[in-house]
Amino acid sequence: MSRATGLRYRRRRVTDVVAKVLGVAATGFGLFWLTWILLVTLSNGVQALTPRIFTQDTPPPGGDGGLANALFGSLEMSLLGVLIGAPLGVAAGTYLAEFAEHRPAWRETIRFVNDILLSAPSIVLGLFVYTIAVRPVGHFSGWAGGLALALIVLPVVVRTTDETLRLVPDIMREAALSLGIPRWKVTVQVLYRAAAPGILTGILLGLARISGETAPLLFTALNNQYAATSLNAPTASVPVVVFQFAMSPYESWHALAWAGAFIVTVFVLLLSVGTRAYLLRNRVDGAA
Amino acid sequence: MARRRPRRGGVPVVSAPPAAIGGLGVDDARTRARAAAETRQDTVFRLVLASSATLVLVVLGAAAISMLWGGRLAFETFGWHFIVSDEWDAVEHRFGAFVPIYGTLVSSAIAMVIAIPVSFGIALFLTEIAPAWMRGPVGAAIELLAGIPSIIYGMWGLFSFVPFMAANVLPWVDHNLGGAPWVGALFRGPPLGIGMLTAGIVLGIMVIPFISSVMRDVFRTVPASLKESAYALGSTTWEVVWQVVLPYTRSAVVGGIFLGLGRALGETMAVTFVLGNAHQLSTSLLMPGNSIAATIANEFTEADSDIYLSSLIALGFLLFIVTFIVLAIARLMLASLARKEGR
């Protein structure tokens, strides 16, 4: 090997090693923030967690209290969001995967738009719901909040339903259809059963996503210092209360905000990790 | 049981079945009625599904139209000045969106400067460097960053990251970069903690999981034969990635970057916490600013006049249009790789 090629070889080796070191460093960089954020949230949250959180309503400025009304409001609106968004999403996803074969351009347009909706800023969806469900009525309401959350669940469920149904082998459809079963029954009783783990995953991931959503609720459900008597009134939710309390100058409100942040984080992370593990297990078991 | 004859799904049986010849006309009528009912059910089912799918389209269209409608007062009153004016005066009812637009673009730009190289490094690690047993857990941990709600980023940012920046990073930035030629003005300023640079860094961390997971997924689609050929010619890992993997996946990588950019532009809560909500234009990245999303989130409930509210909705419309374009580019770039895979 001549001196020149030796040098060149060495330079290539050095570049390679440097790139690898930087790759490891970048990964460490990402994991560093994850650790820091989780540690801060968990340690502050655990300190602020008391039984009162679950039994008392949000306090006036500087006072003591809990998050009961916010937890209940979040639960109500998230359920409403899933109840509206999931059936529509499953229906739309089924159309894309099963019933649109004769209109490929239309199908691809909807898939494209759904993908954009999936990544669209949630604040924009909140403003949209404000203009259709709050301004005409004249007041903020839990219904509007649930509707805004439904618009966030919708594209997630459409996408996962579409993708899961496309994974169901054609031989199942053919076998069912050859027995003379109408298509809607084939879809509901055969395909949905085969695709159930995937569709359920989509719905749960949608739920995980809306549990921490704040921006769309600011313009729709607003907030409420007391437990809302009905969904027709402004409704408190954990993320909005966390936002309001964290931005305030009161120490007792900060503690409640940390407690809320802790509850939301633990719920969301358990839900998304658990869902992925469930899907993984079902995929392994289901793979024949 | 004998009455159940095979039928095609949804297609009514038109020809007289053999049973009718034997004088069983009742069965024949029953079969026809049942077939007709099933056809009707199929039609209804299909109609419900098709209208649900159309709803996806309607939601996006209606969102754009309703915000254009809600913001029309601002657009009519201020015209082009709404976009170029930096005046935001709730008392005098004069609103210009230049400060929030500038803040959105600058904070997103900082985020991309951080997130693109880091995401590439992570994807490189997860596809080429890490031992196989490590790839799954580390990849899942990075994706966990995407699962953390943005309000948590905001609280962490305000209570932990901002004091850290103010005490340790910003004085250094001001001292060492503030005097640099050309770009010095960007880095001069008091170490407040909140501001453009802090917001940009938080945004960068938030979009890393989105960009890196796209990069990792598309890097995996590169045919092994291509990579192995390059290795067989004596390439190093870096040369394979830089000269084979990256050119092969270029359009999808750009798509992933635009996907992250779309997230950064529209991110609301985290930015609201750490940007400072200041309607002032400043060359320094260390000064507080504002972004479109943060302005809407902070001021929406305070909007006490029609023109104020309309201006905020008009801001939302601008954000919608910009993110729509960015996300559309992202999807088109990503689709081009999917097509290549299909061939």
Side-chain angles (χ1 to χ4, degrees), chain A residues 12 16 19 27 33 115 124 128 131 180 183-184 222 239 265 268, chain B residues 7 41-42 45 66 125 147 151-152 205 234 238-239 301 320 331:
Chain A
R12 289 175 52 209
D16 188 49
T27 311
W33 299 109
D115 278 349
V124 166
F128 167 52
T131 57
R183 283 196 76 175
W184 73 270
L222 198 66
T265 310
V268 170
Chain B
R7 280 186 301 269
Q41 288 162 356
D42 257 1
F45 188 64
S66 72
F125 179 81
I151 183 118
I152 306 299
I205 300 166
W238 170 250
E239 285 162 353
T301 46
F320 179 83
R331 290 300 168 186

PDB file of all heavy atoms in Angstrom, chain A residues 12 16 19 27 33 115 124 128 131 180 183-184 222 239 265 268, chain B residues 7 41-42 45 66 125 147 151-152 205 234 238-239 301 320 331:
ATOM      1  N   ARG A  12     -10.638   7.851   5.686  1.00  0.00           N
ATOM      2  CA  ARG A  12     -11.960   7.237   5.570  1.00  0.00           C
ATOM      3  C   ARG A  12     -12.349   6.539   6.869  1.00  0.00           C
ATOM      4  O   ARG A  12     -13.492   6.618   7.321  1.00  0.00           O
ATOM      5  CB  ARG A  12     -11.975   6.230   4.420  1.00  0.00           C
ATOM      6  CG  ARG A  12     -11.908   6.889   3.059  1.00  0.00           C
ATOM      7  CD  ARG A  12     -11.802   5.855   1.964  1.00  0.00           C
ATOM      8  NE  ARG A  12     -12.846   4.850   2.068  1.00  0.00           N
ATOM      9  CZ  ARG A  12     -12.718   3.590   1.647  1.00  0.00           C
ATOM     10  NH1 ARG A  12     -11.588   3.186   1.103  1.00  0.00           N
ATOM     11  NH2 ARG A  12     -13.714   2.743   1.766  1.00  0.00           N
ATOM     12  N   ASP A  16     -15.501   7.546   9.359  1.00  0.00           N
ATOM     13  CA  ASP A  16     -16.460   6.532   9.748  1.00  0.00           C
ATOM     14  C   ASP A  16     -16.639   6.497  11.259  1.00  0.00           C
ATOM     15  O   ASP A  16     -17.763   6.491  11.773  1.00  0.00           O
ATOM     16  CB  ASP A  16     -15.984   5.168   9.226  1.00  0.00           C
ATOM     17  CG  ASP A  16     -17.037   4.100   9.439  1.00  0.00           C
ATOM     18  OD1 ASP A  16     -18.198   4.356   9.071  1.00  0.00           O
ATOM     19  OD2 ASP A  16     -16.696   3.029   9.967  1.00  0.00           O
ATOM     20  N   ALA A  19     -18.454   9.581  12.502  1.00  0.00           N
ATOM     21  CA  ALA A  19     -19.889   9.501  12.221  1.00  0.00           C
ATOM     22  C   ALA A  19     -20.584   8.593  13.221  1.00  0.00           C
ATOM     23  O   ALA A  19     -21.674   8.910  13.717  1.00  0.00           O
ATOM     24  CB  ALA A  19     -20.125   8.994  10.799  1.00  0.00           C
ATOM     25  N   THR A  27     -28.230   9.837  19.734  1.00  0.00           N
ATOM     26  CA  THR A  27     -29.174   8.997  20.458  1.00  0.00           C
ATOM     27  C   THR A  27     -29.150   9.327  21.942  1.00  0.00           C
ATOM     28  O   THR A  27     -30.201   9.440  22.587  1.00  0.00           O
ATOM     29  CB  THR A  27     -28.848   7.518  20.224  1.00  0.00           C
ATOM     30  OG1 THR A  27     -28.681   7.304  18.823  1.00  0.00           O
ATOM     31  CG2 THR A  27     -29.962   6.633  20.738  1.00  0.00           C
ATOM     32  N   TRP A  33     -33.010  14.033  27.068  1.00  0.00           N
ATOM     33  CA  TRP A  33     -34.200  14.878  27.283  1.00  0.00           C
ATOM     34  C   TRP A  33     -35.358  14.055  27.814  1.00  0.00           C
ATOM     35  O   TRP A  33     -36.086  14.490  28.704  1.00  0.00           O
ATOM     36  CB  TRP A  33     -34.616  15.557  25.982  1.00  0.00           C
ATOM     37  CG  TRP A  33     -33.560  16.454  25.431  1.00  0.00           C
ATOM     38  CD1 TRP A  33     -32.811  16.235  24.318  1.00  0.00           C
ATOM     39  CD2 TRP A  33     -33.107  17.694  25.973  1.00  0.00           C
ATOM     40  NE1 TRP A  33     -31.928  17.262  24.139  1.00  0.00           N
ATOM     41  CE2 TRP A  33     -32.088  18.170  25.132  1.00  0.00           C
ATOM     42  CE3 TRP A  33     -33.462  18.446  27.086  1.00  0.00           C
ATOM     43  CZ2 TRP A  33     -31.422  19.361  25.364  1.00  0.00           C
ATOM     44  CZ3 TRP A  33     -32.798  19.645  27.318  1.00  0.00           C
ATOM     45  CH2 TRP A  33     -31.782  20.089  26.468  1.00  0.00           C
ATOM     46  N   ASP A 115     -54.323  11.969   6.114  1.00  0.00           N
ATOM     47  CA  ASP A 115     -52.956  12.072   6.619  1.00  0.00           C
ATOM     48  C   ASP A 115     -52.634  13.497   7.049  1.00  0.00           C
ATOM     49  O   ASP A 115     -51.916  13.721   8.023  1.00  0.00           O
ATOM     50  CB  ASP A 115     -51.961  11.618   5.547  1.00  0.00           C
ATOM     51  CG  ASP A 115     -51.835  10.107   5.517  1.00  0.00           C
ATOM     52  OD1 ASP A 115     -52.350   9.469   6.445  1.00  0.00           O
ATOM     53  OD2 ASP A 115     -51.222   9.571   4.575  1.00  0.00           O
ATOM     54  N   VAL A 124     -55.870  24.496  15.471  1.00  0.00           N
ATOM     55  CA  VAL A 124     -56.699  24.857  14.325  1.00  0.00           C
ATOM     56  C   VAL A 124     -58.054  24.150  14.399  1.00  0.00           C
ATOM     57  O   VAL A 124     -59.105  24.742  14.143  1.00  0.00           O
ATOM     58  CB  VAL A 124     -55.949  24.506  13.021  1.00  0.00           C
ATOM     59  CG1 VAL A 124     -56.882  24.540  11.847  1.00  0.00           C
ATOM     60  CG2 VAL A 124     -54.799  25.461  12.806  1.00  0.00           C
ATOM     61  N   PHE A 128     -61.801  25.760  14.701  1.00  0.00           N
ATOM     62  CA  PHE A 128     -62.886  25.340  13.801  1.00  0.00           C
ATOM     63  C   PHE A 128     -64.131  24.991  14.606  1.00  0.00           C
ATOM     64  O   PHE A 128     -65.233  25.478  14.315  1.00  0.00           O
ATOM     65  CB  PHE A 128     -62.407  24.155  12.964  1.00  0.00           C
ATOM     66  CG  PHE A 128     -63.489  23.427  12.238  1.00  0.00           C
ATOM     67  CD1 PHE A 128     -64.380  24.113  11.423  1.00  0.00           C
ATOM     68  CD2 PHE A 128     -63.608  22.053  12.351  1.00  0.00           C
ATOM     69  CE1 PHE A 128     -65.379  23.437  10.741  1.00  0.00           C
ATOM     70  CE2 PHE A 128     -64.600  21.381  11.674  1.00  0.00           C
ATOM     71  CZ  PHE A 128     -65.498  22.073  10.880  1.00  0.00           C
ATOM     72  N   THR A 131     -65.897  27.999  15.925  1.00  0.00           N
ATOM     73  CA  THR A 131     -66.750  28.744  14.995  1.00  0.00           C
ATOM     74  C   THR A 131     -68.042  28.006  14.658  1.00  0.00           C
ATOM     75  O   THR A 131     -69.023  28.642  14.302  1.00  0.00           O
ATOM     76  CB  THR A 131     -66.012  29.076  13.678  1.00  0.00           C
ATOM     77  OG1 THR A 131     -65.563  27.854  13.092  1.00  0.00           O
ATOM     78  CG2 THR A 131     -64.842  29.989  13.915  1.00  0.00           C
ATOM     79  N   GLY A 180     -71.995 -17.044   0.240  1.00  0.00           N
ATOM     80  CA  GLY A 180     -73.212 -16.291  -0.042  1.00  0.00           C
ATOM     81  C   GLY A 180     -73.554 -15.259   1.009  1.00  0.00           C
ATOM     82  O   GLY A 180     -74.676 -14.777   1.072  1.00  0.00           O
ATOM     83  N   ARG A 183     -72.009  -8.579   1.750  1.00  0.00           N
ATOM     84  CA  ARG A 183     -70.730  -7.933   2.060  1.00  0.00           C
ATOM     85  C   ARG A 183     -70.711  -7.267   3.421  1.00  0.00           C
ATOM     86  O   ARG A 183     -69.691  -7.252   4.101  1.00  0.00           O
ATOM     87  CB  ARG A 183     -70.388  -6.917   0.976  1.00  0.00           C
ATOM     88  CG  ARG A 183     -69.862  -7.579  -0.269  1.00  0.00           C
ATOM     89  CD  ARG A 183     -69.174  -6.593  -1.157  1.00  0.00           C
ATOM     90  NE  ARG A 183     -67.843  -6.223  -0.671  1.00  0.00           N
ATOM     91  CZ  ARG A 183     -67.029  -5.442  -1.354  1.00  0.00           C
ATOM     92  NH1 ARG A 183     -67.392  -4.950  -2.499  1.00  0.00           N
ATOM     93  NH2 ARG A 183     -65.842  -5.152  -0.866  1.00  0.00           N
ATOM     94  N   TRP A 184     -71.855  -6.688   3.827  1.00  0.00           N
ATOM     95  CA  TRP A 184     -71.807  -5.998   5.118  1.00  0.00           C
ATOM     96  C   TRP A 184     -71.601  -6.992   6.243  1.00  0.00           C
ATOM     97  O   TRP A 184     -70.923  -6.702   7.227  1.00  0.00           O
ATOM     98  CB  TRP A 184     -73.049  -5.128   5.311  1.00  0.00           C
ATOM     99  CG  TRP A 184     -74.327  -5.868   5.598  1.00  0.00           C
ATOM    100  CD1 TRP A 184     -75.219  -6.328   4.690  1.00  0.00           C
ATOM    101  CD2 TRP A 184     -74.840  -6.203   6.887  1.00  0.00           C
ATOM    102  NE1 TRP A 184     -76.260  -6.951   5.323  1.00  0.00           N
ATOM    103  CE2 TRP A 184     -76.063  -6.887   6.664  1.00  0.00           C
ATOM    104  CE3 TRP A 184     -74.387  -6.006   8.196  1.00  0.00           C
ATOM    105  CZ2 TRP A 184     -76.833  -7.370   7.715  1.00  0.00           C
ATOM    106  CZ3 TRP A 184     -75.163  -6.485   9.237  1.00  0.00           C
ATOM    107  CH2 TRP A 184     -76.366  -7.157   8.991  1.00  0.00           C
ATOM    108  N   LEU A 222     -63.426  25.469  27.473  1.00  0.00           N
ATOM    109  CA  LEU A 222     -62.878  26.486  28.365  1.00  0.00           C
ATOM    110  C   LEU A 222     -62.470  25.863  29.696  1.00  0.00           C
ATOM    111  O   LEU A 222     -61.628  24.986  29.728  1.00  0.00           O
ATOM    112  CB  LEU A 222     -63.880  27.627  28.560  1.00  0.00           C
ATOM    113  CG  LEU A 222     -63.293  28.927  29.091  1.00  0.00           C
ATOM    114  CD1 LEU A 222     -62.340  29.523  28.059  1.00  0.00           C
ATOM    115  CD2 LEU A 222     -64.385  29.935  29.391  1.00  0.00           C
ATOM    116  N   PRO A 239     -55.755  19.004  31.441  1.00  0.00           N
ATOM    117  CA  PRO A 239     -54.715  19.787  30.771  1.00  0.00           C
ATOM    118  C   PRO A 239     -54.944  21.297  30.847  1.00  0.00           C
ATOM    119  O   PRO A 239     -53.986  22.044  31.052  1.00  0.00           O
ATOM    120  CB  PRO A 239     -54.805  19.303  29.315  1.00  0.00           C
ATOM    121  CG  PRO A 239     -55.431  17.968  29.384  1.00  0.00           C
ATOM    122  CD  PRO A 239     -56.366  18.015  30.535  1.00  0.00           C
ATOM    123  N   THR A 265     -49.440  12.381  32.335  1.00  0.00           N
ATOM    124  CA  THR A 265     -48.280  11.704  31.751  1.00  0.00           C
ATOM    125  C   THR A 265     -48.338  10.209  31.987  1.00  0.00           C
ATOM    126  O   THR A 265     -48.151   9.409  31.061  1.00  0.00           O
ATOM    127  CB  THR A 265     -46.978  12.256  32.364  1.00  0.00           C
ATOM    128  OG1 THR A 265     -47.017  13.670  32.287  1.00  0.00           O
ATOM    129  CG2 THR A 265     -45.767  11.740  31.618  1.00  0.00           C
ATOM    130  N   VAL A 268     -51.154   8.628  29.872  1.00  0.00           N
ATOM    131  CA  VAL A 268     -50.861   8.595  28.436  1.00  0.00           C
ATOM    132  C   VAL A 268     -49.763   7.584  28.120  1.00  0.00           C
ATOM    133  O   VAL A 268     -49.877   6.788  27.183  1.00  0.00           O
ATOM    134  CB  VAL A 268     -50.458  10.004  27.939  1.00  0.00           C
ATOM    135  CG1 VAL A 268     -49.909   9.935  26.525  1.00  0.00           C
ATOM    136  CG2 VAL A 268     -51.654  10.934  27.984  1.00  0.00           C
TER     137      VAL A 268
ATOM    138  N   ARG B   7     -74.823 -17.683  -2.787  1.00  0.00           N
ATOM    139  CA  ARG B   7     -75.105 -16.478  -3.573  1.00  0.00           C
ATOM    140  C   ARG B   7     -73.875 -15.601  -3.541  1.00  0.00           C
ATOM    141  O   ARG B   7     -73.114 -15.613  -2.584  1.00  0.00           O
ATOM    142  CB  ARG B   7     -76.262 -15.704  -2.941  1.00  0.00           C
ATOM    143  CG  ARG B   7     -77.634 -16.237  -3.252  1.00  0.00           C
ATOM    144  CD  ARG B   7     -78.671 -15.295  -2.683  1.00  0.00           C
ATOM    145  NE  ARG B   7     -78.520 -15.146  -1.246  1.00  0.00           N
ATOM    146  CZ  ARG B   7     -79.156 -15.911  -0.360  1.00  0.00           C
ATOM    147  NH1 ARG B   7     -79.952 -16.846  -0.766  1.00  0.00           N
ATOM    148  NH2 ARG B   7     -78.982 -15.706   0.918  1.00  0.00           N
ATOM    149  N   GLN B  41     -79.539  -3.839   2.400  1.00  0.00           N
ATOM    150  CA  GLN B  41     -78.650  -3.643   3.559  1.00  0.00           C
ATOM    151  C   GLN B  41     -77.238  -3.290   3.106  1.00  0.00           C
ATOM    152  O   GLN B  41     -76.598  -2.405   3.652  1.00  0.00           O
ATOM    153  CB  GLN B  41     -78.620  -4.921   4.398  1.00  0.00           C
ATOM    154  CG  GLN B  41     -79.894  -5.167   5.172  1.00  0.00           C
ATOM    155  CD  GLN B  41     -80.013  -6.610   5.632  1.00  0.00           C
ATOM    156  OE1 GLN B  41     -79.171  -7.443   5.316  1.00  0.00           O
ATOM    157  NE2 GLN B  41     -81.059  -6.905   6.379  1.00  0.00           N
ATOM    158  N   ASP B  42     -76.801  -4.004   2.057  1.00  0.00           N
ATOM    159  CA  ASP B  42     -75.461  -3.717   1.546  1.00  0.00           C
ATOM    160  C   ASP B  42     -75.356  -2.285   1.050  1.00  0.00           C
ATOM    161  O   ASP B  42     -74.372  -1.605   1.294  1.00  0.00           O
ATOM    162  CB  ASP B  42     -75.136  -4.687   0.401  1.00  0.00           C
ATOM    163  CG  ASP B  42     -74.205  -5.795   0.863  1.00  0.00           C
ATOM    164  OD1 ASP B  42     -73.855  -5.795   2.056  1.00  0.00           O
ATOM    165  OD2 ASP B  42     -73.845  -6.649   0.042  1.00  0.00           O
ATOM    166  N   PHE B  45     -75.264   0.045   4.005  1.00  0.00           N
ATOM    167  CA  PHE B  45     -73.966  -0.076   4.668  1.00  0.00           C
ATOM    168  C   PHE B  45     -72.907   0.704   3.905  1.00  0.00           C
ATOM    169  O   PHE B  45     -72.162   1.504   4.467  1.00  0.00           O
ATOM    170  CB  PHE B  45     -73.597  -1.557   4.743  1.00  0.00           C
ATOM    171  CG  PHE B  45     -72.373  -1.862   5.555  1.00  0.00           C
ATOM    172  CD1 PHE B  45     -72.346  -1.605   6.915  1.00  0.00           C
ATOM    173  CD2 PHE B  45     -71.248  -2.408   4.955  1.00  0.00           C
ATOM    174  CE1 PHE B  45     -71.227  -1.899   7.675  1.00  0.00           C
ATOM    175  CE2 PHE B  45     -70.118  -2.685   5.707  1.00  0.00           C
ATOM    176  CZ  PHE B  45     -70.123  -2.438   7.063  1.00  0.00           C
ATOM    177  N   SER B  66     -64.507  27.915   7.483  1.00  0.00           N
ATOM    178  CA  SER B  66     -65.045  28.576   8.669  1.00  0.00           C
ATOM    179  C   SER B  66     -64.041  29.570   9.242  1.00  0.00           C
ATOM    180  O   SER B  66     -64.427  30.614   9.756  1.00  0.00           O
ATOM    181  CB  SER B  66     -65.444  27.550   9.721  1.00  0.00           C
ATOM    182  OG  SER B  66     -64.295  26.992  10.295  1.00  0.00           O
ATOM    183  N   PHE B 125     -27.910   5.418  14.119  1.00  0.00           N
ATOM    184  CA  PHE B 125     -27.645   4.528  15.247  1.00  0.00           C
ATOM    185  C   PHE B 125     -28.578   3.322  15.217  1.00  0.00           C
ATOM    186  O   PHE B 125     -28.140   2.184  15.373  1.00  0.00           O
ATOM    187  CB  PHE B 125     -27.821   5.308  16.557  1.00  0.00           C
ATOM    188  CG  PHE B 125     -27.594   4.479  17.797  1.00  0.00           C
ATOM    189  CD1 PHE B 125     -26.318   4.227  18.255  1.00  0.00           C
ATOM    190  CD2 PHE B 125     -28.676   3.958  18.496  1.00  0.00           C
ATOM    191  CE1 PHE B 125     -26.102   3.465  19.389  1.00  0.00           C
ATOM    192  CE2 PHE B 125     -28.472   3.195  19.635  1.00  0.00           C
ATOM    193  CZ  PHE B 125     -27.182   2.942  20.077  1.00  0.00           C
ATOM    194  N   GLY B 147     -44.888  10.663  22.594  1.00  0.00           N
ATOM    195  CA  GLY B 147     -46.106  10.388  23.334  1.00  0.00           C
ATOM    196  C   GLY B 147     -46.351  11.357  24.472  1.00  0.00           C
ATOM    197  O   GLY B 147     -47.474  11.489  24.947  1.00  0.00           O
ATOM    198  N   ILE B 151     -48.284  19.785  26.778  1.00  0.00           N
ATOM    199  CA  ILE B 151     -48.397  20.599  27.987  1.00  0.00           C
ATOM    200  C   ILE B 151     -47.300  20.222  28.996  1.00  0.00           C
ATOM    201  O   ILE B 151     -46.821  21.060  29.763  1.00  0.00           O
ATOM    202  CB  ILE B 151     -49.793  20.454  28.618  1.00  0.00           C
ATOM    203  CG1 ILE B 151     -49.962  21.354  29.841  1.00  0.00           C
ATOM    204  CG2 ILE B 151     -50.087  19.038  29.045  1.00  0.00           C
ATOM    205  CD1 ILE B 151     -51.025  22.349  29.686  1.00  0.00           C
ATOM    206  N   ILE B 152     -46.877  18.944  28.963  1.00  0.00           N
ATOM    207  CA  ILE B 152     -45.816  18.500  29.862  1.00  0.00           C
ATOM    208  C   ILE B 152     -44.486  19.131  29.436  1.00  0.00           C
ATOM    209  O   ILE B 152     -43.709  19.601  30.274  1.00  0.00           O
ATOM    210  CB  ILE B 152     -45.704  16.964  29.851  1.00  0.00           C
ATOM    211  CG1 ILE B 152     -47.064  16.329  30.150  1.00  0.00           C
ATOM    212  CG2 ILE B 152     -44.658  16.479  30.856  1.00  0.00           C
ATOM    213  CD1 ILE B 152     -47.648  16.663  31.482  1.00  0.00           C
ATOM    214  N   ILE B 205     -36.634  19.341  20.318  1.00  0.00           N
ATOM    215  CA  ILE B 205     -36.740  18.075  21.045  1.00  0.00           C
ATOM    216  C   ILE B 205     -38.067  17.396  20.723  1.00  0.00           C
ATOM    217  O   ILE B 205     -38.143  16.178  20.549  1.00  0.00           O
ATOM    218  CB  ILE B 205     -36.634  18.323  22.571  1.00  0.00           C
ATOM    219  CG1 ILE B 205     -35.306  18.977  22.909  1.00  0.00           C
ATOM    220  CG2 ILE B 205     -36.799  17.029  23.344  1.00  0.00           C
ATOM    221  CD1 ILE B 205     -35.261  19.555  24.304  1.00  0.00           C
ATOM    222  N   GLY B 234     -15.793  -2.442  -0.317  1.00  0.00           N
ATOM    223  CA  GLY B 234     -14.885  -1.912   0.685  1.00  0.00           C
ATOM    224  C   GLY B 234     -15.355  -0.627   1.332  1.00  0.00           C
ATOM    225  O   GLY B 234     -14.578   0.051   2.000  1.00  0.00           O
ATOM    226  N   TRP B 238     -20.225   4.547   7.173  1.00  0.00           N
ATOM    227  CA  TRP B 238     -20.598   5.921   6.870  1.00  0.00           C
ATOM    228  C   TRP B 238     -20.776   6.131   5.369  1.00  0.00           C
ATOM    229  O   TRP B 238     -21.723   6.777   4.920  1.00  0.00           O
ATOM    230  CB  TRP B 238     -19.550   6.878   7.431  1.00  0.00           C
ATOM    231  CG  TRP B 238     -19.743   8.281   6.957  1.00  0.00           C
ATOM    232  CD1 TRP B 238     -18.963   8.980   6.097  1.00  0.00           C
ATOM    233  CD2 TRP B 238     -20.823   9.161   7.311  1.00  0.00           C
ATOM    234  NE1 TRP B 238     -19.475  10.215   5.875  1.00  0.00           N
ATOM    235  CE2 TRP B 238     -20.617  10.359   6.615  1.00  0.00           C
ATOM    236  CE3 TRP B 238     -21.945   9.030   8.146  1.00  0.00           C
ATOM    237  CZ2 TRP B 238     -21.495  11.442   6.724  1.00  0.00           C
ATOM    238  CZ3 TRP B 238     -22.805  10.109   8.252  1.00  0.00           C
ATOM    239  CH2 TRP B 238     -22.575  11.295   7.548  1.00  0.00           C
ATOM    240  N   GLU B 239     -19.852   5.544   4.585  1.00  0.00           N
ATOM    241  CA  GLU B 239     -19.955   5.719   3.131  1.00  0.00           C
ATOM    242  C   GLU B 239     -21.202   5.041   2.582  1.00  0.00           C
ATOM    243  O   GLU B 239     -21.848   5.546   1.660  1.00  0.00           O
ATOM    244  CB  GLU B 239     -18.694   5.176   2.451  1.00  0.00           C
ATOM    245  CG  GLU B 239     -17.499   6.107   2.625  1.00  0.00           C
ATOM    246  CD  GLU B 239     -16.161   5.428   2.362  1.00  0.00           C
ATOM    247  OE1 GLU B 239     -16.136   4.199   2.170  1.00  0.00           O
ATOM    248  OE2 GLU B 239     -15.147   6.135   2.365  1.00  0.00           O
ATOM    249  N   THR B 301     -59.316  34.004  25.012  1.00  0.00           N
ATOM    250  CA  THR B 301     -60.386  34.267  25.972  1.00  0.00           C
ATOM    251  C   THR B 301     -60.420  35.731  26.405  1.00  0.00           C
ATOM    252  O   THR B 301     -61.373  36.161  27.038  1.00  0.00           O
ATOM    253  CB  THR B 301     -60.223  33.384  27.222  1.00  0.00           C
ATOM    254  OG1 THR B 301     -58.857  33.436  27.615  1.00  0.00           O
ATOM    255  CG2 THR B 301     -60.605  31.954  26.923  1.00  0.00           C
ATOM    256  N   PHE B 320     -53.202  27.544   9.398  1.00  0.00           N
ATOM    257  CA  PHE B 320     -53.784  26.384   8.717  1.00  0.00           C
ATOM    258  C   PHE B 320     -53.237  26.264   7.297  1.00  0.00           C
ATOM    259  O   PHE B 320     -52.811  25.187   6.866  1.00  0.00           O
ATOM    260  CB  PHE B 320     -55.311  26.531   8.690  1.00  0.00           C
ATOM    261  CG  PHE B 320     -56.020  25.413   8.007  1.00  0.00           C
ATOM    262  CD1 PHE B 320     -56.304  24.247   8.682  1.00  0.00           C
ATOM    263  CD2 PHE B 320     -56.388  25.518   6.680  1.00  0.00           C
ATOM    264  CE1 PHE B 320     -56.956  23.205   8.055  1.00  0.00           C
ATOM    265  CE2 PHE B 320     -57.037  24.483   6.043  1.00  0.00           C
ATOM    266  CZ  PHE B 320     -57.317  23.325   6.732  1.00  0.00           C
ATOM    267  N   ARG B 331     -46.331  14.677   2.571  1.00  0.00           N
ATOM    268  CA  ARG B 331     -47.010  13.452   2.146  1.00  0.00           C
ATOM    269  C   ARG B 331     -46.641  13.081   0.722  1.00  0.00           C
ATOM    270  O   ARG B 331     -46.491  11.897   0.391  1.00  0.00           O
ATOM    271  CB  ARG B 331     -48.522  13.624   2.274  1.00  0.00           C
ATOM    272  CG  ARG B 331     -49.002  13.686   3.714  1.00  0.00           C
ATOM    273  CD  ARG B 331     -48.639  12.425   4.471  1.00  0.00           C
ATOM    274  NE  ARG B 331     -48.846  12.597   5.900  1.00  0.00           N
ATOM    275  CZ  ARG B 331     -48.499  11.708   6.811  1.00  0.00           C
ATOM    276  NH1 ARG B 331     -47.915  10.588   6.463  1.00  0.00           N
ATOM    277  NH2 ARG B 331     -48.716  11.940   8.088  1.00  0.00           N
TER     278      ARG B 331
END
